[in-house]
Amino acid sequence: MNIKRLVILQLILFAGLGSAYLVPTHGKLQPMGVVMELPESIGQWYGTPQKITKAELEQLASDTSFARRSYTDAVGDSILASIVLAGEDPDNSLHRPERCLPAQGWTILDSKVVTINDPALPGGSLKVTRLRNQQKVRDDKGNTHIIYNLNYYWFIGYDHQTPSAIDRAVTDIRDRITKGYNQRWAYVTVASTVTDNLTKFGRSEAETDKIIQAFIRDLFPRITRSSTSEGQITARDTAK
């Protein structure tokens, strides 16, 4: 009986693994749901372009596209915004922050989905993943300090947006099999360091959350090609 069960389990396992080969790796590319150009200014924020690291260019697929700016305001606050757009294969282009941050020396302390509310957002709200991170750094005197960072991200496709990497992957497989197209996924990250105890007029974690969420409210309509019902977007003409 045990041998029979083992054989059945192995057959189920092989069937599950084999089904991966049924998923088309190529499909008709849908128009992008995101604008791959971060604005120079957003409200009181002014952004300067940032170089994409050599590691990113080497590790991600060659047809991956990037947009990145570091934004500052008049009182010294700083926000880093980034868009990564996948090509044919999002699994080789979209390495969400949970994979990248530890390699950069960050420890992820907490991860949760939060809802940002605003009438200008699709359906009046946007769900994003919020990461709380920490890193040990040494100053010029050799003393060790801990700094904290908040990182918000979400995925944007042709007709769907989600804070979940799992939901993005499941939706991508479904669309490739049942509809024969590739949503041309992108993900957006908006991050800022908690400067409380780091600078004279530093921001607490709650204050950092507030400025990031306000920034996202202003950024969202500038980088998406549409706005529709909650949880979805509709692609516009891709011509700029």
Side-chain angles (χ1 to χ4, degrees), residues 17 22 44-45 71 96 98 122 143 179 187 226 240:
L17 293 174
L22 300 177
Q44 77 271 25
W45 301 91
Y71 291 88
R96 67 191 192 280
E98 285 93 336
N143 298 318
K179 301 177 182 179
Y187 84 89
S226 64
K240 294 184 179 179

Side-chain angles (χ1 to χ4, degrees), residues 80-99:
L80 181 66
S82 179
I83 307 173
V84 180
L85 176 67
E88 288 281 358
D89 184 4
D91 291 334
N92 288 322
S93 296
L94 304 183
H95 291 181
R96 67 191 192 280
E98 285 93 336
R99 293 180 60 182

Side-chain angles (χ1 to χ4, degrees), residues 9-226:
L9 287 174
Q10 288 180 328
L11 290 174
I12 294 173
L13 176 61
F14 290 146
L17 293 174
S19 65
Y21 293 99
L22 300 177
V23 180
T25 57
H26 300 281
K28 180 181 178 182
L29 284 175
Q30 295 293 69
M32 295 182 298
V34 67
V35 177
M36 286 303 296
E37 184 176 349
L38 288 163
E40 185 176 30
S41 61
I42 302 175
Q44 77 271 25
W45 301 91
Y46 177 79
T48 55
Q50 300 295 299
K51 290 184 178 180
I52 307 305
T53 67
K54 181 180 179 181
E56 288 175 295
L57 295 174
E58 291 176 347
Q59 293 174 9
L60 302 181
S62 60
D63 58 355
T64 306
S65 299
F66 305 84
R68 184 168 298 155
R69 283 182 182 265
S70 178
Y71 291 88
T72 55
D73 63 9
V75 297
D77 294 317
S78 178
I79 287 177
L80 181 66
S82 179
I83 307 173
V84 180
L85 176 67
E88 288 281 358
D89 184 4
D91 291 334
N92 288 322
S93 296
L94 304 183
H95 291 181
R96 67 191 192 280
E98 285 93 336
R99 293 180 60 182
C100 300
L101 288 173
Q104 299 170 9
W106 292 97
T107 299
I108 298 174
L109 302 176
D110 180 62
S111 174
K112 63 182 179 181
V113 173
V114 301
T115 301
I116 300 175
N117 296 302
D118 190 274
L121 297 172
S125 65
L126 173 68
K127 293 184 182 298
V128 298
T129 295
R130 174 195 185 268
L131 303 179
R132 179 174 179 264
N133 317 295
Q134 75 171 22
Q135 186 179 60
K136 292 182 179 180
V137 297
R138 290 184 180 275
D139 59 23
D140 296 336
K141 298 179 180 180
N143 298 318
T144 300
H145 302 276
I146 296 179
I147 60 175
Y148 296 90
N149 167 278
L150 300 180
N151 188 304
Y152 285 63
Y153 74 87
W154 71 99
F155 296 90
I156 299 176
Y158 165 66
D159 63 2
H160 188 70
Q161 59 188 2
T162 176
S164 167
I166 295 176
D167 181 50
R168 181 209 63 76
V170 170
T171 301
D172 184 68
I173 292 172
R174 181 202 66 194
D175 290 342
R176 288 172 185 264
I177 293 177
T178 65
K179 301 177 182 179
Y181 66 63
N182 177 351
Q183 288 225 25
R184 194 76 190 276
W185 291 96
Y187 84 89
V188 183
T189 60
V190 179
S192 185
T193 298
V194 179
T195 54
D196 191 25
N197 297 324
L198 295 179
T199 62
K200 185 176 181 180
F201 301 104
R203 299 278 190 179
S204 67
E205 182 174 324
E207 291 171 326
T208 305
D209 271 317
K210 186 176 180 179
I211 64 172
I212 291 178
Q213 293 188 21
F215 183 90
I216 291 174
R217 291 187 187 98
D218 292 336
L219 174 68
F220 185 88
R222 303 282 295 275
I223 62 169
T224 53
R225 296 187 179 278
S226 64

